[in-house]
Amino acid sequence: FRPPYPNPLPVTHETMIAFLGLLCLLYVADAAAIAPKAGLKRALPVSRSLSKVVPKKTSNDAKPPRSVSAKATVLGDGGYNTLTNMYGKVYDNVIFRQEHGFDPMGLAKGQPPAVLAKYRDAELLHGRMGMLAVAGILLAEKFHPVFPSASGTALQQWDEVNRLVPAFKWFALGHVIVNEAFRTPKFDITHRADRLWEDEEPGNYGWDPLRITPKDPEQLLARNNQEVNNGRLAMVAALGMLAEEAKTGQPIADKLFPNIPTNIPSL
């Protein structure tokens, strides 16, 4: 049994920035560790409607030569037409009753397909980060043998680790910067990187060491929907967990799993 919990950790600007850096570190280990390689085969996106071939746009501006895939990454001619043809619509819009899905601020309205592809890429990456964050918070609050003294909430653990190893936050920040640099080839620099290249698939970084990506189009569509919807849920869940811990000063894992002791001896 642990002694009574200390007073809730003050949520300072520095603490929140540091913890956001830790979340990025958790994410890059999964999603952005490997940059797309030349000649890498990417799984073609799947849609409920027929695929349309988007011709390669020409411009008088100097542009690095790139090949356009046989099928466009995003279908449609932009805006809600494109969003309608993308996977990840919330329960086929049973909840929101909008063909294009949930977009209350109209961010997708009138946007080119390549810009919507960048939005989806960001959504997938942050969703993966959220899923890792939820799992990491629950696991680290119950099992942290590397830093046994780092107990308490996720933010309290972060402060304790940085007290023990002051360079840890700089290592985490550097790791994030290096891995983010590997993502830059996906962005169209001729448009100030506000969109992906036409032949880039959102969220695909060629990382599938267990080779679990389905080859069947229907199974791939189901897996894509699972990933984006669970990622959305995880982003909201991680925010809620951090907010509750900051308010109460008690680890969320102790509330969810009160019968599991902290720092279970390794087998």
Side-chain angles (χ1 to χ4, degrees), residues 6 43-44 48 67 70 78 85 88 103 107 126 140 152 154 156 161 180-181 187 196 218 229 232 238 244 250 260:
L44 293 175
R48 292 183 179 86
S67 60
N85 292 325
D103 185 24
L107 298 178
H126 285 85
Q156 290 169 343
V161 169
E180 282 295 305
F187 298 101
L196 298 186
E218 292 186 0
N229 287 325
R232 292 165 178 167
E244 181 174 344
Q250 298 182 1
I260 299 180

Side-chain angles (χ1 to χ4, degrees), residues 50-174:
L50 295 177
S51 300
K52 300 178 182 179
V53 177
V54 178
K56 183 177 180 180
K57 297 181 180 179
T58 59
S59 173
N60 295 329
D61 300 332
K63 181 176 179 179
R66 296 178 66 90
S67 60
V68 178
S69 56
K71 295 183 180 179
T73 301
V74 184
L75 306 178
D77 56 2
Y80 289 150
N81 183 27
T82 292
L83 196 62
T84 299
N85 292 325
M86 296 177 72
Y87 64 85
K89 292 186 292 186
V90 182
Y91 304 118
D92 288 330
N93 306 305
V94 173
I95 297 178
F96 301 109
R97 300 293 182 180
Q98 297 178 15
E99 180 60 25
H100 54 267
F102 182 66
D103 185 24
M105 299 181 65
L107 298 178
K109 187 175 182 180
Q111 294 291 352
V115 173
L116 295 179
K118 179 184 177 181
Y119 290 169
R120 173 51 57 87
D121 186 75
E123 182 180 32
L124 286 170
L125 299 189
H126 285 85
R128 293 165 182 170
M129 182 177 70
M131 289 186 281
L132 286 172
V134 170
I137 290 172
L138 295 177
L139 177 62
E141 288 180 354
K142 283 296 183 181
F143 184 61
H144 41 269
V146 179
F147 300 102
S149 63
S151 59
T153 68
L155 292 176
Q156 290 169 343
Q157 288 182 319
W158 170 257
D159 283 347
E160 176 64 12
V161 169
N162 279 286
R163 185 187 67 83
L164 297 173
V165 186
F168 181 80
K169 58 179 176 292
W170 302 114
F171 169 79
L173 179 61

Side-chain angles (χ1 to χ4, degrees), residues 29-40:
D30 174 58
I34 298 180
K37 298 180 180 179
L40 177 66

